[in-house]
Amino acid sequence: MDTLFSDIERYKRKVNAPLAVRMRPQTLDGYVGQEKAVGPGSWLRRAIEHDTLSSVLLYGPAGTGKTTLARIIANTTHAEFVEVSAVTGTVKDLRQATEAAESRLLTSGRRTILFVDEIHRFNRAQQDALLHAVEDRTVILVGATTENPYFEVNSALISRSRVVELEPLSDDAIRELVTRALDDKFGLDGAFDLADDALDEIVTLAAGDGRSALTSLELASQMAAPADAPSDPTSPDAAKGDGAGEKSRILITREHVLDANPRRGLPYDKGGDMHYDIISAFIKSMRGSDPDATLYWLARMIDAGEDPKFIARRIMIHASEDVGNADPQALLVAEAAFKSAEVIGYPECRINLAQAALYVALAPKSNACEAGIDAALSEVRSGPRREVPAYLRDRHRPGSEDYGDYLYPHDFEGGWVPQRYLPEGLSAGDFFFPSPRGWEAWRLESTERDRAARAANGGRATGKGKTNG
């Protein structure tokens, strides 16, 4: 319940909060970016403006405005806005919140919007505790998560909600956030100017994260402020000039930004969408024989501390799946890189990983191994039962003398003889399609010759036979 001191308390909390919190807009008019999610005509915008919101899950990377949207909903709705922590909240807390919401609805007809930040941190039991309340609209759930809700949130809860995906902010949106904060009274209040290259650096460092951009600006302003300046550079006494009450603005340079951010860290998660997106880009770059892209995506994973054995395993898979026998050496190089990752580790094994990744990226490509075994497995799993030709069967059993003659290739010139090895109903070329590249290209001519000879011979076993084996 608000008191005479509530506004004063809120003001004090806001002016002492981090810049990113102070700059949160109160309405959609001040919300930057996310045109697809809350742009004119979007469902979410209409629902917020008309106060007709139904349960929604806001999904996106950090710093894209999920919590800000929740605050805007809190400021514009006529419903009761209740927040529960997904970190410290329990099933008991959720039940108390839903029971209070039901009482509120029955006694005054007032709806309740329940905001759960980082909802993926709730376990299954906690999520299940929300199901009936959400289904009956006892509460309207607003969940925010950086993890893919289709993996981390109960499917039953998803089916009762609408998923709205927020994307990393564009460079233009980041620029607007930063320039707005320079002059806003709750921002830097006109105490600072920002050099163009400093703004560019902040945009680059932010990588689509609005909170990160504002934090960089705040830290850089502290680096730029004189040593004898007040602790709050936006206070009235912080930047007075010698003129008649005019402020002398302090320049924030690129060096200040870099000093405030000694190490840049791009977004990455070791079990979420970013993890899978980057490893997918890495594999596709090797498959596409692009050495520069291969090194870039490899560097993204190494910089984020990805398990080097995980990277090496993917290189090994790629060596067989996409290079195969176009260059049989690729698998050996990849296996050596895995061993290096296992026994050496970071930072030195980055070189081993780079060598193996570049080798398979630049190697001739063939997917004949993968396509061949998958085609054969499909036949085995869905085709009819096919018997082993009698002359290919094991001879260590009674009656094997009637199996017919097996043609022993080493008894023939060139170590090869036209003989049918496939069961009846299958033909040469049903599974193996060698590429015209690398080692397979060298073998392609003889493979086609062998197939033609078997076809001409009808696959029959002729000539001198060998009965043991």
Side-chain angles (χ1 to χ4, degrees), residues 395 397-404:
R395 301 278 174 164
R397 62 166 66 98
S400 62
E401 63 272 8
D402 298 327
Y403 285 173

Side-chain angles (χ1 to χ4, degrees), residues 119-337:
I119 191 172
H120 64 274
R121 293 181 180 271
F122 272 158
N123 60 37
R124 295 293 175 179
Q126 290 169 308
Q127 293 182 29
D128 286 341
L130 292 169
L131 285 178
H132 291 301
V134 172
E135 185 174 31
D136 299 339
R137 286 203 176 180
T138 302
V139 298
I140 297 166
L141 173 67
V142 176
T145 176
T146 56
E147 304 293 332
N148 191 327
Y150 295 102
F151 295 122
E152 301 296 336
V153 178
N154 285 2
S155 57
L157 200 56
I158 289 177
S159 69
R160 292 161 172 80
S161 309
R162 181 160 180 169
V163 177
V164 174
E165 185 171 358
L166 305 185
E167 300 173 344
L169 297 180
S170 67
D171 288 353
D172 288 341
I174 295 291
R175 289 176 189 275
E176 184 176 347
L177 279 177
V178 172
T179 53
R180 179 189 296 178
L182 284 170
D183 293 316
D184 190 279
K185 69 175 182 178
F186 286 111
L188 300 185
D189 197 24
F192 295 89
D193 281 325
L194 186 64
D196 291 341
D197 58 351
L199 175 57
D200 292 340
E201 191 64 34
I202 288 176
V203 171
T204 300
L205 290 169
D209 185 332
R211 185 187 300 109
S212 174
L214 292 173
T215 300
S216 291
L217 176 63
E218 183 175 27
L219 294 176
S221 71
Q222 294 168 1
M223 300 297 295
D228 57 350
S231 58
D232 179 7
T234 66
S235 66
D237 298 327
K240 287 183 179 179
D242 295 331
E246 293 182 358
K247 290 183 178 180
S248 175
R249 296 168 71 105
I250 302 169
L251 180 65
I252 301 173
T253 67
R254 181 172 180 270
E255 287 66 31
H256 293 136
V257 175
L258 293 175
D259 288 343
N261 295 274
R263 186 187 184 280
R264 179 190 181 195
L266 290 175
Y268 191 82
D269 47 43
K270 291 190 178 182
D273 287 350
M274 186 70 70
H275 165 84
Y276 292 107
D277 285 346
I278 290 181
I279 193 63
S280 176
F282 175 62
I283 293 167
K284 289 179 172 67
S285 298
M286 289 191 293
R287 181 181 296 138
S289 302
D290 188 327
D292 295 292
T294 295
L295 287 173
Y296 175 78
W297 296 118
L298 175 61
R300 284 285 296 270
M301 292 186 287
I302 291 173
D303 182 67
E306 180 61 81
D307 182 356
K309 295 191 293 294
F310 168 77
I311 301 173
R313 282 194 295 269
R314 301 311 303 180
I315 297 173
M316 287 181 71
I317 294 169
H318 174 76
S320 290
E321 180 180 358
D322 293 297
V323 176
N325 286 325
D327 185 350
Q329 187 75 13
L331 182 58
L332 301 180
V333 173
E335 193 274 337

Side-chain angles (χ1 to χ4, degrees), residues 24 31 34 44 57-73 81 115-120 142-147 164-167 169 211:
R24 275 184 179 147
Y31 191 74
Q34 307 303 345
L44 185 55
L57 297 173
L58 304 175
Y59 159 51
T64 52
K66 300 183 296 297
T67 304
T68 297
L69 266 180
R71 300 295 177 212
I72 290 173
I73 292 169
F81 189 88
F115 174 56
V116 182
D117 199 7
E118 301 296 332
I119 191 172
H120 64 274
V142 176
T145 176
T146 56
E147 304 293 332
V164 174
E165 185 171 358
L166 305 185
E167 300 173 344
L169 297 180
R211 185 187 300 109

Side-chain angles (χ1 to χ4, degrees), residues 26 35 84 121 128 199 203 226 236 302 361 372 377 421 428 430 453 468:
Q26 303 299 306
E35 285 76 12
V84 174
R121 293 181 180 271
D128 286 341
L199 175 57
V203 171
I302 291 173
L377 284 170
Y421 295 98
D430 281 352
N468 65 330

Side-chain angles (χ1 to χ4, degrees), residues 333-401:
V333 173
E335 193 274 337
F338 180 84
K339 190 65 177 177
S340 298
E342 197 171 42
V343 302
I344 298 175
Y346 288 139
E348 287 82 2
C349 79
R350 76 192 190 283
I351 309 170
N352 308 115
L353 294 173
Q355 179 183 354
L358 285 173
Y359 188 97
V360 298
L362 297 174
K365 300 299 188 292
S366 170
N367 70 341
C369 295
E370 187 233 4
I373 188 59
D374 286 351
L377 284 170
S378 177
E379 164 61 31
V380 168
R381 290 165 179 169
S382 60
R385 174 180 172 178
R386 303 185 190 277
E387 299 297 337
V388 177
Y391 51 90
L392 296 182
R393 293 177 183 173
D394 178 63
R395 301 278 174 164
H396 299 91
R397 62 166 66 98
S400 62
E401 63 272 8

